[in-house]
């Protein structure tokens, strides 16, 4: 269970005085039950919008324009908002939002925020909801004594664990984690990643990890999708992406990551991401690409390289 297929998903924002912002533009991927996939790319590439679109939580003026989303073969796009809210959101697909302190209300206790969806979504009594909330906290390595405490009384790592507990409260099959280690020190980052790996093995959930950190991706993802300007430009098994990156953007990201042993200069990618209200007519990475060729003036196809590895680039097309 928990197999997700996304095909040609487009999610745009429609500001009143500007062209549509093509935040997610034709994204396709598959997440098999019990597996994990990491989405990596610069800020503004569409990772968070993708996660919010899958939960139908896009902020105004955003909306899904087209595409197919299937969960265990069931077309989720065909569900009404009421049906989706009752049967899919939080129950089968859940999300850990970026910025735990901002996502938690400062005026309610942890227990109140954990119990509320159990009471209103499942119709549980307050006592039963409190019991399940304590179990959820214990599942992520926290104690029931946190139930009566407020978010500002917790450390950053504890707040992030609370967010994960909230996302798991209704026992979903798929967990979307948006930058789950941002603003945490390296020790706490490692703890959160180990927790996610443990939950995946113990509960059998599928995980979508959204991050800009290649090191975080390497710890947990079976497959990696590299996003640039709303599109997936490279997709494949983690070991192939790390050992043999093909897209010039992926290579640039790898070169920009610091090495523990040193020995090579940290590079940067020149230029800046395009305006998604008016993206380049051809390859969206073309204006920044040192390997650009004349064909890059046309949109490149997604080319299958074998072994589940594909790349959106004319150098291979």
């Amino acid at each position: 269970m928990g197999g997700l297929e996304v095909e040609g998903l487009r999610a745009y924002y429609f500001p009143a005085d500007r062209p549509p912002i093509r935040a997610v533009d034709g994204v396709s991927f598959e997440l098999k039950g019990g597996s994990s996939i990491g989405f990596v790319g610069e800020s503004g590439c569409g990772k968070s919008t993708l996660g919010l679109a899958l939960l139908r939580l896009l902020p105004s003026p955003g909306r899904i324009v087209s595409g197919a989303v299937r969960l265990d073969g069931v077309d989720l796009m065909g569900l009404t908002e009421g049906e989706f809210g009752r049967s899919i959101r939080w129950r089968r697909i859940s999300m850990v939002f970026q910025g735990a302190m901002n996502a938690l209300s400062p005026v309610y206790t942890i227990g109140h925020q954990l119990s509320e969806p159990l009471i209103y979504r499942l119709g549980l009594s307050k006592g039963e909801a409190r019991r399940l909330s304590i179990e959820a906290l214990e599942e992520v390595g926290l104690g029931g004594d946190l139930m009566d405490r407020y978010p500002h009384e917790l450390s950053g790592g504890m707040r992030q664990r609370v967010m994960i507990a909230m996302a798991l409260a209704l026992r979903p099959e798929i967990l979307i984690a948006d930058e789950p280690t941002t603003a945490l020190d390296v020790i706490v980052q490692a703890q959160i990643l180990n927790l996610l790996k443990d939950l995946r093995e113990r509960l059998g959930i599928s995980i979508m990890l959204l991050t800009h950190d290649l090191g975080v991706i390497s710890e947990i993802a079976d497959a990696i999708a590299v996003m640039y300007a709303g599109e997936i430009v490279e997709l494949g098994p983690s070991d192939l992406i790390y050992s043999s990156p093909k897209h010039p953007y992926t290579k640039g990201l790898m070169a920009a990551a610091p090495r523990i042993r040193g020995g090579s200069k940290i590079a940067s990618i020149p230029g800046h991401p395009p305006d998604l209200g008016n993206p380049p007519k051809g390859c969206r990475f073309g204006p920044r690409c040192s390997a650009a060729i004349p064909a890059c003036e046309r949109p490149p196809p997604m080319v299958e390289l074998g072994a589940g590895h594909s790349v959106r680039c004319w150098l291979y097309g």
Side-chain angles (χ1 to χ4, degrees), residues 73-94:
V74 177
D75 179 17
L76 301 187
M77 301 297 286
L79 300 180
T80 66
E81 174 57 30
E83 291 170 335
F84 189 90
R86 287 191 299 271
S87 62
I88 303 298
R89 189 185 298 124
W90 310 128
R91 289 177 179 267
R92 300 192 66 186
I93 306 176
S94 193

Side-chain angles (χ1 to χ4, degrees), residues 119-157:
I119 295 171
Y120 289 99
R121 291 281 181 179
L122 297 185
L124 300 182
S125 66
K126 289 185 178 181
E128 183 68 7
R130 184 177 178 86
R131 183 185 66 80
L132 290 179
S133 297
I134 292 174
E135 287 183 4
L137 288 173
E138 291 174 344
E139 209 161 54
V140 298
L142 299 174
D145 58 303
L146 265 64
M147 291 286 286
D148 299 317
R149 296 170 68 178
Y150 290 87
H152 71 270
E153 298 180 277
L154 310 184
S155 68

